[in-house]
Amino acid sequence: IDNLINHSDLRKLAFDRKLLGMAALQVQYNKGKVAKVSHFPMETLRAGKIGDSGKVEKWYYHPNWKDHKRSDTLKEFDVFGSTNRKKTEIFILAPYTSGFYYYSPVDYGGALPYAYLEEVISEYLINDALNGFSGTKIINMNNGVPDDESQRRLKQTLLNKFTGQLGDKVVVSFNANKESATTVENLPLDNAPEHYSYLSTECRDKLITGHNVTSPLLLGVRDGSGFSSNADEIKNSSLFFNNTVIKVYQEEITDALEDIFAINGIDAELYFKTI
């Protein structure tokens, strides 16, 4: 078995399966026997149309699909078991999901909005810091309403002057009289620290839940749960996480490899050694 696939390919396979929801193996033959099994980058593959069998029968390769053009010649691969072991085949490792015929969704899909929310919060706080923690303001120009073009130019001038990392901190306003003076109104966010703390905690909890992590302590996060000691919680949570999450991925991989190696008459029950 070690001569057919190496550990580096297995690590890449497992990473693709978790990150992308699917993974791929390239199976090469020599005289009707499996000669080499290697990881194939899943992001470079696209499915062909479902055939008469009701399954995808062809996969197409392109090194960067963002740059794909209709004139490009795509490399075609047949799915595993469809060429009578005469050509290189692609074995697609993907769990069945109802309603998804070509690609399987990632298992952490429900947490993605919270990953995006965390990104938005961090961008907002960085921008807030770069602007000297200045509050949101409304600048009222009380000298009448100019035409649309003048409004656009004045608005852009103000944005250029008072926003961004190097925005000025002092507003200089020239007015015809006191009654037509420019007014600046603050729009404070009430309880801002508590608000950001809540959002940060909510994002963290949803991301942990979305990845089926059984205890925040497995990620080094303390949450004050009811175990008598952190050691007890880490031990029990790690065991539960391994049985309910990790082993599911491992069995998918070993089942796929057993199907491939069976062609060479290898009837072995594969398993992963735990740490």
Side-chain angles (χ1 to χ4, degrees), residues 26-217:
Q26 180 176 258
V27 183
Q28 297 171 287
Y29 295 100
N30 182 22
K31 298 179 180 180
K33 296 289 185 179
V34 175
K36 184 68 177 176
V37 181
S38 55
H39 163 261
F40 202 98
M42 188 65 218
E43 71 273 11
T44 65
L45 293 172
R46 293 296 184 269
K49 291 184 178 180
I50 291 178
D52 296 336
S53 64
K55 299 179 180 179
V56 175
E57 298 175 351
K58 303 283 186 181
W59 288 84
Y60 296 92
Y61 166 82
H62 192 281
N64 188 348
W65 285 94
K66 289 183 179 179
D67 298 332
H68 169 251
K69 301 176 183 177
R70 288 184 177 272
S71 58
D72 291 343
T73 300
L74 300 176
K75 186 173 179 61
E76 181 182 273
F77 290 100
D78 294 283
V79 297
F80 176 73
S82 64
T83 69
N84 293 321
R85 309 168 195 172
K86 295 180 180 179
K87 296 192 299 182
T88 298
E89 299 172 342
I90 288 291
F91 188 108
I92 300 297
L93 183 67
Y96 170 77
T97 305
S98 180
F100 290 83
Y101 302 105
Y102 289 97
Y103 306 98
S104 295
V106 295
D107 59 2
Y108 55 86
L112 288 176
Y114 290 92
Y116 177 64
L117 175 60
E118 192 171 62
E119 177 186 353
V120 172
I121 292 171
S122 66
E123 289 177 349
Y124 177 84
L125 294 177
I126 290 171
N127 183 67
D128 198 25
L130 292 176
N131 285 282
F133 300 98
S134 300
T136 303
K137 300 178 183 299
I138 294 180
I139 300 177
N140 295 306
M141 312 300 293
N142 301 314
N143 296 314
V145 180
D147 57 72
D148 291 343
E149 180 61 23
S150 297
Q151 289 184 45
R152 186 190 64 78
R153 288 200 306 268
L154 181 58
K155 176 182 177 181
Q156 191 59 50
T157 299
L158 289 171
L159 290 176
N160 291 340
K161 189 174 181 62
F162 302 119
T163 62
Q165 184 176 358
L166 302 178
D168 292 341
K169 303 303 179 185
V170 179
V171 176
V172 179
S173 176
F174 301 93
N175 310 292
N177 51 61
K178 181 180 279 189
E179 287 71 26
S180 60
T182 300
T183 61
V184 180
E185 299 179 16
N186 287 317
L187 296 177
L189 175 61
D190 294 334
N191 302 319
E194 294 84 353
H195 187 63
Y196 293 130
S197 177
Y198 163 76
L199 289 177
S200 178
T201 302
E202 186 73 2
C203 288
R204 183 197 70 193
D205 292 346
K206 290 297 190 294
L207 288 171
I208 288 175
T209 303
H211 286 280
N212 299 312
V213 178
T214 51
S215 171
L217 277 176

Side-chain angles (χ1 to χ4, degrees), residues 5 9-27 39-40 42 45 59 79-80 90-97 102-105 248-260 272:
I5 188 169
D9 283 308
L10 285 177
R11 285 193 293 269
K12 294 174 183 176
L13 181 74
F15 184 76
D16 274 5
R17 171 62 186 87
K18 176 61 181 176
L19 182 67
L20 305 175
M22 304 171 66
L25 287 168
Q26 180 176 258
V27 183
H39 163 261
F40 202 98
M42 188 65 218
L45 293 172
W59 288 84
V79 297
F80 176 73
I90 288 291
F91 188 108
I92 300 297
L93 183 67
Y96 170 77
T97 305
Y102 289 97
Y103 306 98
S104 295
V248 175
Y249 285 104
Q250 292 177 341
E251 288 175 358
E252 284 185 14
I253 294 174
T254 53
D255 288 347
L257 295 177
E258 287 171 4
D259 288 344
I260 295 172
F272 282 85

